[in-house]
């Protein structure tokens, strides 16, 4: 039982580089989310998707983009990384866009130098 | 603005009971969640409250008072493995989750 798989688990990259964090779920959940988690702050929503083919902006979307071509995959792209994007990124899914238990991936630790 | 408050850190003794409080001010309310997050790991679901009262699940219980904008998570018979951060999150009127910063619980032998 895989649940949600994120890749890479950890990455260091230079400022200005493009980076895509991958997220795949095998639970056939409709809703998917990308959060960032920084020390002393709550989880902050970057982008979300209520169903395949649709996406929406969360609390901190600037500098990030997402796509949802199918139910299973929800990649997050940093077009030109900046040091303030150093964080731990969590992908999550839920069977209902209107609330419900979230299932999280193991996280991707990103360091931008 | 929307706000979730919970203590930053708490310490308790193995075998004891601890109560972690969460107060919230949000635009509407569609439920409150508690998640557990061990260091370096992903959050995992503990409980969901949408009606006032106490929900018990084994050693863990969660309480909600919507009129007071208040919830607590009660952990009984503490074990060392309960050392983790506990995250409170509220589902607002737009079905967006608003997260607290989390309470780091340290269990001492």
């Amino acid at each position: 039982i895989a649940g949600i798989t994120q890749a890479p688990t950890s990455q260091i990259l230079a400022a200005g580089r493009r980076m895509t964090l991958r997220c795949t779920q095998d639970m056939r959940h409709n809703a998917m989310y990308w959060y960032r988690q920084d020390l002393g702050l709550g989880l902050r929503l970057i982008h979300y998707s209520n169903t395949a083919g649709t996406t929406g902006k969360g609390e901190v979307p600037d500098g990030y983009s997402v796509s949802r071509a199918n139910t299973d995959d929800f990649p997050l792209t940093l077009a030109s990384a900046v040091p303030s994007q150093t964080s731990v990124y969590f992908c999550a899914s839920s069977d209902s866009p209107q609330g419900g238990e979230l299932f999280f991936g193991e996280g991707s630790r990103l360091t931008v130098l | 603005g929307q706000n979730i408050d919970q203590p930053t850190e708490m310490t308790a003794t193995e075998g004891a009971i601890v109560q972690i409080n969460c107060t919230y001010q949000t635009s509407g309310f569609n439920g409150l969640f508690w998640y557990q997050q061990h260091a370096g790991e992903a959050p995992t679901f503990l409980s969901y409250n949408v009606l006032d009262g106490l929900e018990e699940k084994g050693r863990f219980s969660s309480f909600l008072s919507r009129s007071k904008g208040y919830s607590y998570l009660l952990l009984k018979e503490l074990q060392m493995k309960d050392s983790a951060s506990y995250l409170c999150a509220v589902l607002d009127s737009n079905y967006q989750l608003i997260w607290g910063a989390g309470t780091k619980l340290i269990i001492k032998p």
Side-chain angles (χ1 to χ4, degrees), chain A residues 48-62:
Chain A
Y48 65 93
S49 170
N50 287 335
T51 189
T54 69
T55 63
K57 294 182 179 180
E59 179 186 356
V60 288
D62 293 345

Side-chain angles (χ1 to χ4, degrees), chain B:
Chain B
Q2 308 203 88
N3 195 48
I4 309 282
D5 285 318
Q6 44 180 140
T8 303
E9 187 175 297
M10 299 181 69
T11 302
T13 304
E14 190 177 16
I17 299 173
V18 71
Q19 178 175 311
I20 302 174
N21 295 325
C22 171
T23 58
Y24 62 89
Q25 293 175 308
T26 57
S27 302
F29 179 85
N30 279 301
L32 185 143
F33 294 82
W34 284 97
Y35 283 79
Q36 181 189 58
Q37 185 178 24
H38 286 102
E41 298 183 7
T44 55
F45 171 81
L46 284 178
S47 68
Y48 171 67
N49 294 67
V50 66
L51 299 176
D52 290 352
L54 188 68
E55 295 275 347
E56 297 186 78
K57 191 186 295 185
R59 294 189 299 113
F60 292 10
S61 303
S62 56
F63 171 83
L64 175 68
S65 169
R66 289 172 296 171
S67 63
K68 295 181 179 179
Y70 168 70
S71 172
Y72 67 73
L73 182 68
L74 191 71
L75 291 73
K76 303 177 185 176
E77 301 169 15
L78 286 169
Q79 302 174 9
M80 297 303 294
K81 68 178 182 179
D82 297 329
S83 292
S85 289
Y86 292 86
L87 314 181
C88 174
V90 172
L91 201 60
D92 71 8
S93 58
N94 294 319
Y95 294 96
Q96 296 287 334
L97 263 179
I98 311 300
W99 293 84
T103 299
K104 182 178 181 180
L105 178 63
I106 300 168
I107 310 296
K108 295 186 175 180

Side-chain angles (χ1 to χ4, degrees), chain A residues 19-32:
Chain A
M19 178 71 197
T20 295
L21 303 180
R22 301 183 299 279
C23 176
T24 300
Q25 55 113 351
D26 63 2
M27 296 175 284
R28 308 301 293 172
H29 283 171
N30 286 315
M32 295 188 75

